[in-house]
Amino acid sequence: MKNLDPALSKPKKSRRSAAKKRGDGARAESSGRFYYKGNRHKQLRAFVSVVKLGTLTRAAEALYLSQPTISLQLQALERELGVSLMERRRRRINLTDAGEALYELARPLVEGWDTLDRDFQAKVKGLQAGRLTIAAGTSTIQYLLPDLVRRYRERFPAVQLQLANVTGKDGMAMLRADDADFAVGSMLDVPNDIAWAPIQHYDPMLIMPPDHPLAEKEQITLEDLSPYGLILPPQRLSTYRLVDLVFQQRQVPYHVAIEVGGWDVIKEYVAMGMGISIVTGICITEADHARLAVRNMKQFFPQRSYGVVMRKGKFLTAEARAFIDLIRPGLLTHREHDDPGHSQR
């Protein structure tokens, strides 16, 4: 054994080296896969930020990363999933069908991760702190929400509650920009990326002074309203558009005497004899019946439904879920707002 030719031992060494290299390569490949999987959250966070903010530059600024880093994360994500997620055209980024599907799935996950600490504390300690922003119109804030807000404040006094008084268009913009947790109000048309859960239904009401000529009639037709000036909210609001649509469809002439915002102001002007109005039943109180003649006009004008409005795929915080449960327990049992929809970006 001592006289063993040294040359015979070299192949063994080479074989050991080759085996070692193969092992190192396998470990490196495995480590590479682990690296990408371990950073999937970063990739998805970058992807969601780019879609929400519109450009790589804005996403990089929001995440405190460089633009090349964001680009590399997106490339790695597309490589791992084996699909193209975005089409880059000049400064504009458009999602592919696969990108749309991933965005609907990834956005609530990323948002949930970002609020994990706060939601965990809320689960463990109760809603002792936090913030809730609800977008709503004036009538909703004034007539529908007060009792809900009172009960919510009694249960969760430490939560900072913001009621954003906005029009329907501005409320939708807040939802899409994640500036509001959800909205409460009425909707005429529901976009594909928005979920709508109605909770209350109100009839349209004709209001007039008690001594008005129409107050003596048992049955009031649309034609009966023509000679009298209407007091309506501004044209930009849905009530005006709805009243106009009904008169136009029936080909009944009408004229608006006064445009003014706020149901209380309209009711006051009607009580003073300045005109008549079509209002939603949500604003009629017991006191109003004592100073106004009120007639149901549901045979001519559609009901108005008020409910919870949210963006599909929206991750609701514990504060938001607690408020919605006050509105109607079990309203979120069927998570319709998590169903995929087409974004209007």
Side-chain angles (χ1 to χ4, degrees):
M1 297 295 292
K2 291 181 181 181
N3 296 325
L4 189 63
D5 188 348
L8 297 176
S9 64
K10 290 182 179 180
K12 294 182 180 180
K13 182 178 180 181
S14 298
R15 286 195 295 270
R16 286 196 300 268
S17 299
K20 183 177 184 300
K21 289 181 180 179
R22 285 196 300 271
D24 290 344
R27 282 192 296 272
E29 182 181 354
S30 175
S31 176
R33 286 197 298 267
F34 177 78
Y35 173 82
Y36 285 121
K37 296 297 182 183
N39 283 272
R40 175 60 60 83
H41 172 254
K42 293 182 179 180
Q43 297 168 1
L44 292 176
R45 196 160 182 254
F47 170 71
V48 169
S49 296
V50 170
V51 177
K52 288 173 62 175
L53 300 176
T55 66
L56 271 69
T57 301
R58 291 177 182 173
E61 292 174 352
L63 298 178
Y64 301 99
L65 297 172
S66 66
Q67 184 173 331
T69 299
I70 297 292
S71 182
L72 288 173
Q73 289 176 341
L74 294 178
Q75 292 174 16
L77 183 61
E78 289 180 324
R79 185 166 57 250
E80 287 185 37
L81 297 178
V83 294
S84 176
L85 300 173
M86 297 178 175
E87 295 177 352
R88 299 166 180 81
R89 297 176 180 175
R90 296 183 180 179
R91 295 182 179 181
R92 184 180 181 86
I93 293 179
N94 296 323
L95 288 180
T96 63
D97 290 341
E100 286 279 2
L102 180 63
Y103 183 70
E104 296 293 345
L105 294 172
R107 185 167 184 170
L109 296 177
V110 171
E111 292 174 350
W113 183 268
D114 291 341
T115 61
L116 178 63
D117 289 346
R118 186 182 69 183
D119 290 342
F120 172 73
Q121 294 298 327
K123 283 286 186 181
V124 174
K125 301 179 181 179
L127 297 182
Q128 300 300 319
R131 181 182 179 89
L132 174 62
T133 300
I134 303 173
T138 301
S139 59
T140 303
I141 293 174
Q142 185 173 1
Y143 299 107
L144 184 60
L145 291 182
D147 183 61
L148 291 166
V149 170
R150 178 186 58 79
R151 290 159 54 195
Y152 189 82
R153 293 291 300 154
E154 289 175 353
R155 296 191 186 187
F156 314 111
V159 175
Q160 182 180 354
L161 179 61
Q162 178 186 8
L163 301 178
N165 190 351
V166 294
T167 64
K169 180 179 179 180
D170 292 338
M172 296 292 288
M174 290 186 69
L175 291 179
R176 291 185 171 121
D178 277 340
D179 292 331
D181 293 277
F182 60 89
V184 178
S186 179
M187 294 197 74
L188 298 180
D189 300 305
V190 183
N192 290 330
D193 64 329
I194 296 297
W196 158 246
I199 54 175
Q200 294 285 353
H201 307 278
Y202 298 94
D203 290 337
M205 299 291 185
L206 169 67
I207 59 173
M208 50 200 161
D211 59 351
H212 195 276
L214 292 180
E216 301 177 357
K217 298 192 63 172
E218 293 185 4
Q219 299 292 332
I220 298 176
T221 67
L222 208 59
E223 288 76 11
D224 291 332
L225 307 184
S226 289
Y228 305 103
L230 293 176
I231 303 176
L232 294 178
Q235 294 186 34
R236 69 178 185 277
L237 301 182
S238 57
T239 298
Y240 188 108
R241 299 197 304 270
L242 189 60
V243 170
D244 177 73
L245 178 63
V246 171
F247 277 104
Q248 295 290 347
Q249 288 179 338
R250 299 288 187 113
Q251 297 183 345
V252 176
Y254 77 101
H255 70 279
V256 178
I258 301 174
E259 281 187 38
V260 62
W263 291 125
D264 280 354
V265 176
I266 290 176
K267 290 187 294 183
E268 185 64 30
Y269 281 19
V270 170
M272 293 170 62
M274 296 186 183
I276 61 177
S277 185
I278 305 295
V279 301
T280 303
I282 187 176
C283 74
I284 301 298
T285 66
E286 290 296 329
D288 293 328
H289 286 280
R291 63 173 184 155
L292 297 170
V294 182
R295 297 289 186 274
N296 195 308
M297 298 293 287
K298 64 181 180 181
Q299 68 269 36
F300 301 109
F301 299 91
Q303 273 191 334
R304 296 295 297 275
S305 298
Y306 286 72
V308 176
V309 188
M310 64 189 75
R311 176 180 50 75
K312 288 182 178 179
K314 169 71 176 177
F315 178 85
L316 290 175
T317 64
E319 293 85 359
R321 290 193 297 271
F323 195 99
I324 293 176
D325 283 341
L326 284 179
I327 295 176
R328 179 179 295 172
L331 183 64
L332 298 181
T333 300
H334 172 60
R335 296 293 299 272
E336 178 188 356
H337 52 279
D338 283 339
D339 294 341
H342 297 291
S343 173
Q344 291 193 348
R345 288 180 302 278

